[in-house]
């Protein structure tokens, strides 16, 4: 009797990737008001442009788009079964741009191109760089970013590939940021937005302690990870880690920190660029996430009344605000996230 071929998929391992490989990810997903409601239930998100159709219309948009991080999590989640199912760690991000708003009813899909490979010296793992693009049902790109992950090898004796480390920009140039068509902050309502601070009120080098904290619970993390269809084993399966813990999805920390940044950055309405990002230390259920921001740069845009700020958003699980690295240059153990991004504010 012939043996049937296995129909299940164990995911890709390091030796399964090659530079130039393009992977179309399953499964397309239609997003809508349900995702918005769940997002605002999971995170204390209050930015007015994503909360109110009327506010968005007063800013020149046809309606409130879905939160920028809904687009990120949805596009990212599609890639996990193909890119990071067997990952040891998600190491970083670069060259991220939000290219078009995502509206309720849009259907998102993702594809990734492998742009770099480097086997680690232990011979057991390697780093894979991919450029991922999310598109809507019209084929319009809504998001593009690079990330790199450390992935296990299946066969320890498999030959190491030629090392290719992509050259990545330190930051997305301000002139290449995409401002949504029609966006106009000329008649911006600061009272409804929640704070009076304009683009010009922030100085490069300024630091903001966002004050508030949120304790992460196991149940909400599991709901979030399932919502974004993130199937990485370390988020689901307690046997996937030697210590029996379930890691909190790094994107959950990103969204929590972004939501906490409302207190001090309520008018940073849209995230349009992702310059760099590192998940510095693991986050586990029971940790209380706090956040602070440093203003890194400032730029004008061609849109009426719209300016851009480059911001470093740091999430921690304790410790003094504004503490980032120790004397050895390494992240302090309480630092969870170091995220460098561009946001749009009213001038």
């Amino acid at each position: 009797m012939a043996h049937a071929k296995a129909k299940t998929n164990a995911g890709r391992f390091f030796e399964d990737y090659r530079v130039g490989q393009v992977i179309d990810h399953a499964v397309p997903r239609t997003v809508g008001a349900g995702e918005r409601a769940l997002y605002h239930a999971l995170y204390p998100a209050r930015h007015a442009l994503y909360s109110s159709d009327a506010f968005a219309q007063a800013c020149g948009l046809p309606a409130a788009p879905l939160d920028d991080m809904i687009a990120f999590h949805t596009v990212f989640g599609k890639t996990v079964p193909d890119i990071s199912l067997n990952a040891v760690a998600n190491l970083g991000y670069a060259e991220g741009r939000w290219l078009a708003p995502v509206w309720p009813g849009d259907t998102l899909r993702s594809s990734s191109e492998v742009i770099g490979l480097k086997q680690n010296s232990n011979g057991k793992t390697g780093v894979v760089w991919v450029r991922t693009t999310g598109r809507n049902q019209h084929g319009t790109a809504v998001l593009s970013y690079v990330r790199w992950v450390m992935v296990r090898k299946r066969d320890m004796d498999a030959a190491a590939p030629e090392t290719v480390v992509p050259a990545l920009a330190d930051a997305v140039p301000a002139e290449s940021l995409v401002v949504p068509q029609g966006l106009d902050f000329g008649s911006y309502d600061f009272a409804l937005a929640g704070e009076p601070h304009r683009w010009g009120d922030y100085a490069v080098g300024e630091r903001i302690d966002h004050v508030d904290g949120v304790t992460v619970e196991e149940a909400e993390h599991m709901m979030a990870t399932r919502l974004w269809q993130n199937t990485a084993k370390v988020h689901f399966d307690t046997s996937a880690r030697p210590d029996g813990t379930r890691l909190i999805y790094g994107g959950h920390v990103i969204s929590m920190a972004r939501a906490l940044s409302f207190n001090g950055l309520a008018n940073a309405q849209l995230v349009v660029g992702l310059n760099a990002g590192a998940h510095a230390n693991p986050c586990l259920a029971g940790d209380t996430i706090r956040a602070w921001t440093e203003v890194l740069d400032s730029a004008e845009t061609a849109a009426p009344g719209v300016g851009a700020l480059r911001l470093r958003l740091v999430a921690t699980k304790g410790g003094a605000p504004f503490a980032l690295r120790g004397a050895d240059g390494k992240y302090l153990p309480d630092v969870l996230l170091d995220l460098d991004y561009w946001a749009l504010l009213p001038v």
Side-chain angles (χ1 to χ4, degrees), residues 3-337:
H3 293 286
K5 292 183 179 180
K7 293 181 173 62
T8 54
N9 177 19
R12 287 175 168 84
F13 292 83
F14 178 70
E15 62 266 36
D16 297 325
Y17 297 96
R18 65 182 187 279
V19 172
Q21 181 180 12
V22 176
I23 303 168
D24 292 318
H25 306 295
V27 175
R29 179 168 177 181
T30 303
V31 291
E35 278 78 7
R36 189 202 306 275
L38 283 169
Y39 188 89
H40 288 203
L42 289 165
Y43 314 106
R46 292 180 285 161
H47 287 90
L49 198 77
Y50 295 112
S51 299
S52 164
D53 285 340
F55 189 95
Q57 289 161 357
C59 294
L61 301 182
L66 295 182
D67 292 67
D68 36 64
M69 289 303 168
I70 291 179
F72 177 81
H73 294 316
T74 303
V75 169
F76 183 101
K78 305 282 123 215
T79 72
V80 170
D82 296 312
I83 304 301
S84 48
L85 192 67
N86 294 304
V88 178
N90 188 46
L91 299 176
Y93 309 95
E95 297 186 357
R97 292 193 303 154
W98 279 258
L99 301 169
V102 174
W103 307 102
D106 278 353
T107 297
L108 302 181
R109 55 186 173 86
S110 305
S111 63
S112 297
E113 180 184 359
V114 179
I115 61 172
L117 291 171
K118 182 179 185 296
Q119 181 165 302
N120 291 327
S121 57
N122 63 11
K124 299 178 181 179
T125 59
V127 179
V128 182
W129 285 261
V130 297
R131 186 181 303 276
T132 295
T133 302
R135 299 183 184 276
N136 64 19
Q137 67 274 22
H138 307 296
T140 302
V142 300
L143 174 66
S144 176
Y145 63 90
V146 172
R147 74 163 169 139
W148 49 105
V149 296
M150 187 186 303
V151 181
R152 295 180 179 88
K153 292 182 69 174
R154 178 194 298 107
D155 178 5
M156 302 305 156
D157 295 324
E162 178 184 356
T163 296
V164 176
V165 177
L168 300 173
D170 291 335
V172 177
E175 58 271 19
S176 72
L177 300 173
V178 177
V179 179
Q181 185 176 358
L183 187 69
D184 183 344
F185 283 160
S187 300
Y188 189 91
D189 192 323
F190 288 87
L192 290 180
E195 287 181 353
H197 315 305
R198 299 172 180 266
W199 170 75
D201 294 331
Y202 296 89
V204 174
E206 180 178 358
R207 291 176 170 183
I208 304 160
D209 179 1
H210 298 299
V211 180
D212 306 310
V214 175
T215 302
V216 178
E217 302 294 346
E218 189 81 55
E220 70 186 30
H221 161 247
M222 292 310 299
M223 179 180 289
T225 312
R226 291 168 181 157
L227 174 64
W228 311 126
Q229 298 177 325
N230 185 333
T231 58
K233 296 173 184 177
V234 292
H235 302 321
F236 274 90
D237 184 352
T238 56
S239 68
R241 282 169 48 85
D243 62 1
T245 60
R246 201 158 27 192
L247 283 183
I248 301 297
Y249 162 45
H252 193 66
V253 179
I254 292 174
S255 277
M256 196 66 76
R258 158 72 172 158
L260 290 171
S261 75
F262 178 90
N263 191 349
L265 281 166
N267 295 315
Q269 293 291 351
L270 298 101
V271 174
V272 290
L274 178 58
N275 302 304
H279 298 291
N281 287 289
C283 182
L284 303 174
D287 288 343
T288 296
I289 297 175
R290 302 185 185 277
W292 57 268
T293 290
E294 179 182 4
V295 181
L296 300 178
D297 201 357
S298 179
E300 298 179 350
T301 79
V306 180
L309 288 181
R310 182 181 170 191
L311 303 167
R312 163 178 261 166
L313 176 62
V314 176
T316 73
K317 56 179 179 180
F322 315 133
L324 185 66
R325 296 180 186 271
D328 59 0
K330 296 181 180 179
Y331 285 112
L332 295 171
D334 284 338
V335 174
L336 298 172
L337 171 73

